Amino acid sequence: ILVVDYRQYRVLTFDSIYEQSGYSLEKPHSVVHEYIRIMMLVLGFANPGHITLLGLGGGSLLRSIHHHLQKCQFHVVELRAKVFEVAKYYFDIPIDSRVKYTISDAKIQLRAALDASTDIIFSDLFDAYFMSPIQTQRKFVSECYRVLSEDGWLVINFHHLPHVRSLFFDALIEHFSKVFVCPGEMGNYILFATKSKNIDVNGAMKKIIKMETELSTPFVPLFQKLEDLIP
């Protein structure tokens, strides 16, 4: 685990060419990496009271949404205790009564979670070079669906998007009402799946604009790239 300081921001990397997390030293609540900004687009559609994050990294996503959603509760699941320690010491992750941290395997925590117990699941499960295969499994889709609330959202970061005719996509379409995807400039894709049947795009844009101003981070151009995979 390496922490590297540049002139304006700090990064976390697992000793590879990939940066796992970025942290602006001047604007700690802004979002350095594009894929994190894309994942946050879900906040245009949802009004969560509870969010689950599978994978912590340097805590970029957690730090920004914790600041943006002042009344929301969070459960963060991280496999490696050392990653949590580094994030706490070097990346200023929030330590307060609104955030519960669990050092455990995401698969185990999903199985143990209660039905309809969270409003958004963010899944960003990677090691130094590869994505965890759990993120492309049918069982993962069905467990997330079970744990999500009535209008809940599942958000997954992929290096390579599974094929639309795969068993994974079959499971998504079987369980969720709407599925969106947004490509990133670095070649990854963020997938959004929701149980909600009522999607207010105009209302979402207004919330995205507000979030953009509050966090000094560009979101609108990314929101305009969202593609509906179940028209």
Coordinates of all heavy atoms in Angstrom, one line a residue, residues 119-196:
D119 N -30.4 1.8 1.3 CA -31.0 2.5 0.1 C -30.1 2.5 -1.1 O -30.6 2.6 -2.2 CB -31.4 3.9 0.5 CG -32.3 4.0 1.7 OD1 -33.4 3.3 1.6 OD2 -32.1 4.7 2.7
I120 N -28.8 2.5 -0.9 CA -27.8 2.5 -2.0 C -26.7 1.5 -1.6 O -26.2 1.6 -0.5 CB -27.2 3.9 -2.3 CG1 -28.3 4.9 -2.7 CG2 -26.2 3.8 -3.4 CD1 -27.7 6.3 -2.9
I121 N -26.3 0.7 -2.5 CA -25.1 -0.1 -2.4 C -24.1 0.4 -3.4 O -24.3 0.3 -4.6 CB -25.3 -1.6 -2.6 CG1 -26.3 -2.1 -1.5 CG2 -24.0 -2.4 -2.6 CD1 -26.7 -3.6 -1.7
F122 N -22.9 0.9 -3.0 CA -21.8 1.2 -3.9 C -20.8 0.0 -3.8 O -20.3 -0.3 -2.7 CB -21.1 2.5 -3.4 CG -21.9 3.7 -3.7 CD1 -22.5 4.4 -2.6 CD2 -22.0 4.3 -4.9 CE1 -23.2 5.6 -2.8 CE2 -22.7 5.5 -5.1 CZ -23.3 6.1 -4.0
S123 N -20.5 -0.6 -4.9 CA -19.6 -1.7 -5.0 C -18.4 -1.3 -5.8 O -18.5 -1.1 -7.0 CB -20.3 -3.0 -5.5 OG -19.4 -4.1 -5.4
D124 N -17.2 -1.3 -5.1 CA -16.0 -0.9 -5.8 C -14.9 -1.9 -5.3 O -14.0 -1.5 -4.5 CB -15.7 0.5 -5.5 CG -14.5 1.1 -6.3 OD1 -14.1 0.4 -7.3 OD2 -14.0 2.2 -6.0
L125 N -14.9 -3.1 -5.7 CA -14.1 -4.2 -5.1 C -13.0 -4.5 -6.1 O -13.2 -5.2 -7.0 CB -15.0 -5.4 -4.8 CG -16.1 -5.2 -3.8 CD1 -17.0 -6.4 -3.7 CD2 -15.6 -4.8 -2.4
F126 N -11.8 -4.0 -5.7 CA -10.6 -4.3 -6.6 C -9.4 -4.5 -5.7 O -9.3 -4.0 -4.6 CB -10.3 -3.0 -7.4 CG -11.2 -2.8 -8.6 CD1 -12.5 -2.2 -8.4 CD2 -10.9 -3.2 -9.8 CE1 -13.3 -2.0 -9.4 CE2 -11.7 -3.0 -10.9 CZ -13.0 -2.4 -10.7
D127 N -8.4 -5.3 -6.2 CA -7.1 -5.4 -5.6 C -6.2 -4.6 -6.5 O -6.6 -3.6 -7.2 CB -6.6 -6.9 -5.5 CG -6.5 -7.6 -6.8 OD1 -6.5 -6.9 -7.9 OD2 -6.5 -8.8 -6.8
A128 N -4.9 -4.8 -6.5 CA -3.9 -4.0 -7.2 C -4.2 -3.9 -8.7 O -4.0 -2.9 -9.4 CB -2.5 -4.5 -6.9
Y129 N -4.6 -5.1 -9.3 CA -4.8 -5.1 -10.7 C -6.1 -5.6 -11.2 O -6.5 -5.3 -12.4 CB -3.7 -6.1 -11.3 CG -2.3 -5.6 -11.1 CD1 -1.5 -6.1 -10.1 CD2 -1.8 -4.7 -12.0 CE1 -0.2 -5.6 -9.9 CE2 -0.4 -4.2 -11.8 CZ 0.3 -4.7 -10.8 OH 1.6 -4.2 -10.6
F130 N -6.9 -6.3 -10.4 CA -8.1 -6.9 -10.9 C -9.3 -6.6 -10.1 O -9.2 -6.3 -8.9 CB -7.9 -8.4 -11.0 CG -6.8 -8.8 -11.9 CD1 -5.6 -9.3 -11.3 CD2 -6.9 -8.7 -13.3 CE1 -4.6 -9.7 -12.2 CE2 -5.8 -9.1 -14.1 CZ -4.7 -9.6 -13.5
M131 N -10.5 -6.6 -10.7 CA -11.7 -6.5 -10.1 C -12.1 -7.8 -9.4 O -11.8 -8.9 -9.9 CB -12.8 -6.1 -11.1 CG -14.2 -5.9 -10.5 SD -15.4 -5.7 -11.8 CE -15.6 -7.4 -12.3
S132 N -12.8 -7.8 -8.2 CA -13.2 -9.0 -7.6 C -14.3 -9.6 -8.5 O -15.2 -9.0 -8.9 CB -13.8 -8.7 -6.2 OG -14.5 -9.8 -5.7
P133 N -14.2 -10.9 -8.7 CA -15.2 -11.6 -9.6 C -16.6 -11.6 -9.0 O -17.6 -11.8 -9.7 CB -14.7 -13.0 -9.7 CG -13.8 -13.2 -8.5 CD -13.2 -11.9 -8.3
I134 N -16.7 -11.3 -7.7 CA -18.1 -11.3 -7.1 C -19.0 -10.3 -7.8 O -20.2 -10.5 -7.9 CB -18.0 -11.0 -5.6 CG1 -19.4 -11.1 -4.9 CG2 -17.4 -9.6 -5.3 CD1 -19.4 -10.8 -3.4
Q135 N -18.4 -9.3 -8.3 CA -19.2 -8.2 -8.9 C -19.9 -8.6 -10.2 O -20.7 -7.8 -10.8 CB -18.4 -6.9 -9.1 CG -17.9 -6.3 -7.9 CD -17.4 -4.9 -8.1 OE1 -17.3 -4.1 -7.1 NE2 -16.9 -4.5 -9.2
T136 N -19.6 -9.8 -10.8 CA -20.2 -10.2 -12.0 C -21.0 -11.5 -11.8 O -21.4 -12.2 -12.7 CB -19.2 -10.5 -13.1 OG1 -18.2 -11.5 -12.6 CG2 -18.4 -9.2 -13.4
Q137 N -21.3 -11.8 -10.5 CA -22.0 -13.1 -10.2 C -23.5 -12.8 -10.0 O -23.9 -11.8 -9.5 CB -21.4 -13.7 -9.0 CG -20.0 -14.2 -9.2 CD -19.3 -14.7 -7.9 OE1 -19.9 -14.7 -6.9 NE2 -18.1 -15.1 -8.0
R138 N -24.3 -13.8 -10.5 CA -25.8 -13.7 -10.3 C -26.2 -13.6 -8.8 O -27.1 -12.9 -8.5 CB -26.4 -14.9 -11.0 CG -26.4 -14.9 -12.5 CD -27.1 -16.2 -13.0 NE -28.4 -16.4 -12.6 CZ -29.5 -15.9 -13.2 NH1 -29.3 -15.3 -14.4 NH2 -30.7 -16.1 -12.8
K139 N -25.5 -14.4 -8.0 CA -25.8 -14.4 -6.6 C -25.6 -13.0 -6.0 O -26.3 -12.6 -5.1 CB -24.9 -15.5 -5.9 CG -25.2 -15.6 -4.4 CD -26.6 -16.1 -4.1 CE -26.8 -16.4 -2.7 NZ -28.2 -16.8 -2.4
F140 N -24.5 -12.3 -6.4 CA -24.3 -11.0 -5.9 C -25.5 -10.1 -6.3 O -25.9 -9.3 -5.5 CB -23.0 -10.4 -6.6 CG -22.7 -9.0 -6.2 CD1 -22.2 -8.7 -4.9 CD2 -22.8 -8.0 -7.1 CE1 -21.9 -7.4 -4.6 CE2 -22.5 -6.7 -6.8 CZ -22.0 -6.4 -5.5
V141 N -26.0 -10.2 -7.5 CA -27.1 -9.4 -7.9 C -28.3 -9.6 -7.0 O -29.0 -8.7 -6.6 CB -27.5 -9.6 -9.4 CG1 -28.8 -8.9 -9.8 CG2 -26.3 -9.2 -10.3
S142 N -28.6 -10.9 -6.8 CA -29.8 -11.3 -6.0 C -29.7 -10.9 -4.6 O -30.7 -10.4 -4.0 CB -30.1 -12.8 -6.2 OG -29.0 -13.5 -5.6
E143 N -28.5 -11.0 -4.0 CA -28.3 -10.5 -2.6 C -28.4 -9.0 -2.5 O -29.0 -8.5 -1.5 CB -26.9 -11.0 -2.1 CG -26.8 -12.5 -1.8 CD -27.5 -12.9 -0.5 OE1 -28.3 -12.1 0.0 OE2 -27.3 -14.0 -0.1
C144 N -27.8 -8.3 -3.4 CA -28.0 -6.8 -3.4 C -29.4 -6.4 -3.5 O -29.9 -5.5 -2.8 CB -27.2 -6.2 -4.5 SG -25.4 -6.2 -4.3
Y145 N -30.2 -7.1 -4.4 CA -31.6 -6.8 -4.6 C -32.3 -7.0 -3.3 O -33.2 -6.2 -2.8 CB -32.2 -7.7 -5.7 CG -33.7 -7.4 -5.9 CD1 -34.1 -6.4 -6.8 CD2 -34.6 -8.2 -5.3 CE1 -35.4 -6.2 -7.0 CE2 -36.0 -8.0 -5.5 CZ -36.4 -7.0 -6.3 OH -37.7 -6.7 -6.6
R146 N -32.0 -8.1 -2.6 CA -32.7 -8.4 -1.3 C -32.4 -7.4 -0.2 O -33.3 -7.0 0.5 CB -32.2 -9.8 -0.8 CG -32.8 -10.2 0.5 CD -32.2 -11.5 1.0 NE -30.8 -11.4 1.3 CZ -30.3 -10.9 2.4 NH1 -31.1 -10.4 3.3 NH2 -28.9 -10.9 2.6
V147 N -31.2 -6.9 -0.2 CA -30.7 -6.0 0.9 C -31.2 -4.6 0.6 O -31.4 -3.8 1.6 CB -29.2 -6.1 1.0 CG1 -28.7 -5.0 2.0 CG2 -28.8 -7.4 1.5
L148 N -31.5 -4.2 -0.6 CA -31.9 -2.9 -1.0 C -33.3 -2.6 -0.6 O -34.2 -3.5 -0.7 CB -31.7 -2.6 -2.5 CG -30.2 -2.4 -2.9 CD1 -30.1 -2.5 -4.4 CD2 -29.7 -1.1 -2.4
S149 N -33.6 -1.4 -0.2 CA -35.0 -0.9 0.1 C -35.8 -0.9 -1.2 O -35.4 -1.1 -2.3 CB -34.9 0.4 0.8 OG -34.3 1.4 -0.1
E150 N -37.1 -0.5 -1.0 CA -38.1 -0.6 -2.1 C -37.6 0.2 -3.3 O -37.9 -0.3 -4.5 CB -39.4 0.0 -1.6 CG -40.5 -0.1 -2.6 CD -41.8 0.4 -2.0 OE1 -41.9 0.8 -0.9 OE2 -42.9 0.4 -2.7
D151 N -37.0 1.4 -3.2 CA -36.6 2.2 -4.3 C -35.1 2.2 -4.4 O -34.5 3.2 -4.9 CB -37.2 3.6 -4.2 CG -38.7 3.6 -4.4 OD1 -39.2 2.9 -5.2 OD2 -39.3 4.4 -3.7
G152 N -34.4 1.2 -3.9 CA -33.0 1.2 -3.8 C -32.2 1.1 -5.1 O -32.7 0.8 -6.1
W153 N -30.9 1.5 -5.0 CA -30.0 1.6 -6.1 C -28.7 0.8 -5.8 O -28.2 0.8 -4.8 CB -29.6 3.0 -6.4 CG -30.7 3.8 -7.1 CD1 -31.8 4.4 -6.4 CD2 -30.8 4.2 -8.4 NE1 -32.5 5.1 -7.4 CE2 -31.9 5.0 -8.6 CE3 -30.0 3.9 -9.6 CZ2 -32.3 5.5 -9.8 CZ3 -30.4 4.4 -10.8 CH2 -31.5 5.2 -10.9
L154 N -28.3 0.0 -6.9 CA -27.0 -0.7 -6.9 C -26.1 0.0 -7.9 O -26.5 0.3 -9.0 CB -27.2 -2.1 -7.3 CG -25.9 -3.0 -7.5 CD1 -25.1 -3.1 -6.3 CD2 -26.3 -4.3 -8.1
V155 N -24.9 0.4 -7.4 CA -23.9 1.1 -8.2 C -22.6 0.3 -8.2 O -22.0 0.1 -7.1 CB -23.7 2.6 -7.7 CG1 -22.7 3.3 -8.7 CG2 -25.0 3.3 -7.6
I156 N -22.1 -0.1 -9.4 CA -20.9 -0.9 -9.5 C -19.9 -0.3 -10.4 O -20.2 0.1 -11.5 CB -21.3 -2.4 -10.0 CG1 -22.4 -3.0 -9.2 CG2 -20.0 -3.3 -9.9 CD1 -22.9 -4.3 -9.8
N157 N -18.6 -0.3 -10.0 CA -17.5 0.1 -10.8 C -16.9 -1.1 -11.5 O -16.5 -2.0 -10.9 CB -16.5 0.8 -10.0 CG -15.3 1.2 -10.8 OD1 -15.3 1.5 -11.9 ND2 -14.1 1.3 -10.1
F158 N -16.9 -1.1 -12.8 CA -16.3 -2.2 -13.6 C -15.1 -1.6 -14.4 O -15.2 -0.6 -15.0 CB -17.4 -2.7 -14.6 CG -18.4 -3.5 -14.0 CD1 -19.7 -3.0 -14.0 CD2 -18.2 -4.8 -13.6 CE1 -20.7 -3.8 -13.4 CE2 -19.2 -5.6 -13.0 CZ -20.5 -5.1 -12.9
H159 N -14.1 -2.4 -14.5 CA -13.0 -2.1 -15.5 C -13.5 -2.5 -16.9 O -13.2 -1.8 -17.9 CB -11.7 -2.9 -15.2 CG -10.8 -2.1 -14.3 ND1 -9.6 -2.7 -13.8 CD2 -10.8 -0.9 -13.9 CE1 -9.0 -1.7 -13.1 NE2 -9.7 -0.6 -13.1
H160 N -14.2 -3.6 -17.0 CA -14.8 -4.0 -18.3 C -16.2 -4.4 -18.0 O -16.5 -5.3 -17.2 CB -14.0 -5.2 -18.8 CG -12.5 -4.9 -19.1 ND1 -12.1 -4.1 -20.1 CD2 -11.4 -5.3 -18.4 CE1 -10.8 -4.0 -20.0 NE2 -10.4 -4.7 -19.0
L161 N -17.1 -3.8 -18.7 CA -18.5 -4.1 -18.5 C -18.9 -5.5 -19.0 O -18.5 -5.9 -20.1 CB -19.4 -3.1 -19.3 CG -20.9 -3.0 -19.0 CD1 -21.0 -2.5 -17.6 CD2 -21.6 -2.1 -20.0
P162 N -19.6 -6.3 -18.2 CA -20.0 -7.7 -18.7 C -20.9 -7.5 -19.9 O -21.6 -6.5 -20.1 CB -20.8 -8.2 -17.5 CG -20.3 -7.4 -16.3 CD -19.9 -6.1 -16.8
H163 N -20.9 -8.6 -20.7 CA -21.7 -8.5 -22.0 C -23.2 -8.5 -21.6 O -23.6 -9.1 -20.7 CB -21.4 -9.8 -22.8 CG -21.8 -9.7 -24.2 ND1 -23.1 -9.9 -24.6 CD2 -21.1 -9.3 -25.3 CE1 -23.2 -9.7 -25.9 NE2 -22.0 -9.4 -26.4
V164 N -23.9 -7.8 -22.5 CA -25.4 -7.6 -22.2 C -26.1 -8.9 -22.3 O -27.3 -9.0 -21.9 CB -26.0 -6.5 -23.2 CG1 -25.4 -5.1 -22.8 CG2 -25.7 -6.9 -24.6
R165 N -25.5 -9.9 -22.9 CA -26.2 -11.2 -23.0 C -25.6 -12.2 -22.0 O -25.9 -13.4 -22.1 CB -26.0 -11.8 -24.5 CG -26.8 -10.9 -25.5 CD -26.7 -11.5 -26.9 NE -27.4 -10.7 -27.9 CZ -27.4 -11.0 -29.2 NH1 -26.7 -12.1 -29.6 NH2 -28.0 -10.2 -30.0
S166 N -24.9 -11.7 -21.0 CA -24.3 -12.6 -20.0 C -25.4 -13.0 -19.0 O -26.4 -12.4 -18.9 CB -23.1 -11.9 -19.3 OG -23.6 -10.8 -18.6
L167 N -25.1 -14.0 -18.2 CA -25.9 -14.4 -17.1 C -26.1 -13.3 -16.1 O -27.1 -13.1 -15.4 CB -25.4 -15.7 -16.4 CG -25.4 -16.9 -17.3 CD1 -24.8 -18.1 -16.5 CD2 -26.8 -17.3 -17.7
F168 N -25.0 -12.5 -15.9 CA -25.0 -11.4 -15.0 C -26.1 -10.4 -15.4 O -26.9 -9.9 -14.6 CB -23.6 -10.7 -14.9 CG -23.6 -9.4 -14.2 CD1 -23.6 -9.4 -12.8 CD2 -23.7 -8.2 -14.9 CE1 -23.5 -8.2 -12.1 CE2 -23.7 -7.0 -14.2 CZ -23.6 -7.0 -12.8
F169 N -26.1 -10.0 -16.7 CA -27.1 -9.0 -17.2 C -28.5 -9.6 -17.1 O -29.5 -8.9 -16.9 CB -26.7 -8.5 -18.6 CG -26.1 -7.2 -18.6 CD1 -24.7 -7.1 -18.7 CD2 -26.8 -6.0 -18.5 CE1 -24.1 -5.9 -18.6 CE2 -26.2 -4.8 -18.4 CZ -24.8 -4.7 -18.5
D170 N -28.6 -10.9 -17.4 CA -29.9 -11.6 -17.3 C -30.5 -11.4 -15.8 O -31.7 -11.1 -15.6 CB -29.8 -13.1 -17.6 CG -29.6 -13.3 -19.1 OD1 -29.8 -12.4 -19.9 OD2 -29.2 -14.5 -19.4
A171 N -29.6 -11.5 -14.9 CA -30.0 -11.4 -13.5 C -30.4 -9.9 -13.2 O -31.4 -9.7 -12.4 CB -28.9 -11.8 -12.5
L172 N -29.6 -9.0 -13.7 CA -30.0 -7.6 -13.5 C -31.4 -7.3 -14.0 O -32.2 -6.6 -13.3 CB -29.0 -6.7 -14.2 CG -27.6 -6.4 -13.5 CD1 -26.8 -5.5 -14.4 CD2 -27.8 -5.7 -12.2
I173 N -31.6 -7.7 -15.3 CA -32.9 -7.4 -15.9 C -34.0 -8.1 -15.2 O -35.2 -7.6 -15.1 CB -32.9 -7.8 -17.4 CG1 -31.9 -6.8 -18.1 CG2 -34.2 -7.7 -18.0 CD1 -31.5 -7.3 -19.5
E174 N -33.8 -9.3 -14.7 CA -34.8 -10.1 -13.9 C -35.2 -9.4 -12.6 O -36.3 -9.4 -12.2 CB -34.2 -11.5 -13.6 CG -35.1 -12.3 -12.8 CD -34.4 -13.7 -12.4 OE1 -33.4 -14.0 -13.1 OE2 -34.9 -14.3 -11.5
H175 N -34.2 -8.7 -11.9 CA -34.5 -8.2 -10.6 C -34.8 -6.7 -10.6 O -35.6 -6.3 -9.8 CB -33.2 -8.4 -9.7 CG -33.1 -9.8 -9.3 ND1 -32.4 -10.8 -10.0 CD2 -33.5 -10.5 -8.2 CE1 -32.4 -11.9 -9.3 NE2 -33.1 -11.8 -8.2
F176 N -34.1 -5.9 -11.5 CA -34.2 -4.5 -11.4 C -35.1 -3.9 -12.5 O -35.2 -4.4 -13.6 CB -32.8 -3.9 -11.4 CG -32.0 -4.2 -10.2 CD1 -31.2 -5.2 -10.1 CD2 -32.1 -3.3 -9.1 CE1 -30.4 -5.5 -9.0 CE2 -31.4 -3.6 -7.9 CZ -30.5 -4.7 -7.9
S177 N -35.7 -2.7 -12.1 CA -36.6 -2.1 -13.1 C -35.9 -1.3 -14.2 O -36.3 -1.2 -15.3 CB -37.6 -1.1 -12.3 OG -38.4 -1.8 -11.4
K178 N -34.8 -0.7 -13.8 CA -34.0 0.2 -14.7 C -32.5 -0.1 -14.5 O -32.1 -0.3 -13.4 CB -34.3 1.6 -14.5 CG -35.6 2.2 -15.0 CD -35.6 2.2 -16.6 CE -36.8 2.9 -17.2 NZ -36.7 2.9 -18.6
V179 N -31.8 -0.1 -15.6 CA -30.4 -0.3 -15.6 C -29.7 0.8 -16.5 O -30.1 1.0 -17.6 CB -29.9 -1.6 -16.1 CG1 -28.4 -1.8 -16.0 CG2 -30.6 -2.7 -15.2
F180 N -28.8 1.6 -15.9 CA -28.1 2.6 -16.7 C -26.6 2.3 -16.6 O -26.1 1.6 -15.7 CB -28.3 4.0 -16.0 CG -29.8 4.4 -16.0 CD1 -30.5 4.1 -14.9 CD2 -30.3 5.2 -17.0 CE1 -31.9 4.6 -14.8 CE2 -31.6 5.6 -17.0 CZ -32.4 5.3 -15.9
V181 N -25.9 2.9 -17.6 CA -24.4 2.8 -17.6 C -23.8 4.1 -18.0 O -24.4 4.8 -18.8 CB -24.0 1.6 -18.5 CG1 -24.2 1.9 -20.0 CG2 -22.5 1.3 -18.3
C182 N -22.7 4.4 -17.5 CA -21.9 5.6 -17.9 C -20.5 5.2 -18.1 O -19.8 4.7 -17.2 CB -22.1 6.7 -16.8 SG -21.3 8.2 -17.3
P183 N -19.9 5.4 -19.3 CA -18.5 5.1 -19.5 C -17.6 6.2 -18.9 O -18.0 7.4 -18.9 CB -18.4 5.1 -21.0 CG -19.5 6.1 -21.5 CD -20.6 6.0 -20.5
G184 N -16.4 5.8 -18.5 CA -15.4 6.7 -18.0 C -14.3 6.9 -19.0 O -14.1 6.0 -19.9
E185 N -13.6 8.0 -18.9 CA -12.5 8.2 -19.9 C -11.3 7.3 -19.8 O -10.6 7.1 -20.7 CB -12.0 9.7 -19.7 CG -13.0 10.7 -20.2 CD -12.4 12.1 -20.1 OE1 -11.2 12.3 -19.6 OE2 -13.0 13.1 -20.5
M186 N -11.2 6.6 -18.6 CA -10.1 5.7 -18.4 C -10.4 4.3 -18.8 O -9.7 3.3 -18.6 CB -9.7 5.7 -16.9 CG -9.2 7.1 -16.5 SD -7.8 7.8 -17.4 CE -6.5 6.6 -17.0
G187 N -11.6 4.1 -19.5 CA -12.0 2.8 -20.0 C -12.9 2.0 -19.1 O -13.3 0.9 -19.5
N188 N -13.1 2.5 -17.9 CA -14.0 1.7 -17.0 C -15.5 2.2 -17.2 O -15.8 3.1 -17.9 CB -13.7 1.9 -15.5 CG -13.7 3.4 -15.1 OD1 -13.3 4.3 -15.8 ND2 -14.2 3.6 -13.9
Y189 N -16.4 1.4 -16.6 CA -17.8 1.7 -16.7 C -18.5 1.7 -15.4 O -18.1 0.8 -14.5 CB -18.5 0.7 -17.6 CG -18.1 0.7 -19.1 CD1 -16.9 0.0 -19.5 CD2 -18.8 1.4 -20.0 CE1 -16.5 0.1 -20.8 CE2 -18.4 1.4 -21.4 CZ -17.3 0.8 -21.7 OH -16.9 0.8 -23.0
I190 N -19.4 2.6 -15.1 CA -20.2 2.5 -13.9 C -21.6 2.1 -14.3 O -22.2 2.7 -15.1 CB -20.2 3.9 -13.2 CG1 -18.8 4.4 -13.0 CG2 -21.0 3.8 -11.9 CD1 -17.9 3.5 -12.2
L191 N -22.1 1.1 -13.6 CA -23.4 0.6 -13.8 C -24.3 0.9 -12.7 O -24.0 0.9 -11.5 CB -23.4 -1.0 -14.0 CG -24.7 -1.6 -14.4 CD1 -24.4 -2.8 -15.4 CD2 -25.4 -2.2 -13.1
F192 N -25.5 1.4 -13.0 CA -26.6 1.7 -12.0 C -27.8 0.9 -12.3 O -28.3 0.8 -13.4 CB -27.0 3.2 -12.2 CG -25.9 4.2 -12.2 CD1 -25.0 4.4 -13.3 CD2 -25.6 4.9 -11.0 CE1 -24.0 5.4 -13.3 CE2 -24.6 5.9 -11.0 CZ -23.8 6.1 -12.1
A193 N -28.3 0.2 -11.2 CA -29.5 -0.6 -11.3 C -30.4 -0.2 -10.2 O -30.0 -0.1 -9.0 CB -29.2 -2.0 -11.3
T194 N -31.7 0.0 -10.5 CA -32.6 0.5 -9.4 C -33.9 -0.4 -9.4 O -34.3 -0.9 -10.4 CB -33.0 1.9 -9.6 OG1 -33.9 2.3 -8.6 CG2 -33.7 2.2 -11.0
K195 N -34.5 -0.5 -8.2 CA -35.7 -1.2 -8.1 C -36.9 -0.2 -8.3 O -38.0 -0.7 -8.5 CB -35.9 -1.7 -6.6 CG -34.8 -2.8 -6.3 CD -34.7 -3.1 -4.8 CE -35.8 -4.0 -4.4 NZ -35.6 -4.5 -3.0
S196 N -36.6 1.1 -8.3 CA -37.7 2.1 -8.5 C -38.2 2.1 -9.9 O -37.5 1.9 -10.9 CB -37.1 3.4 -8.2 OG -38.1 4.4 -8.4

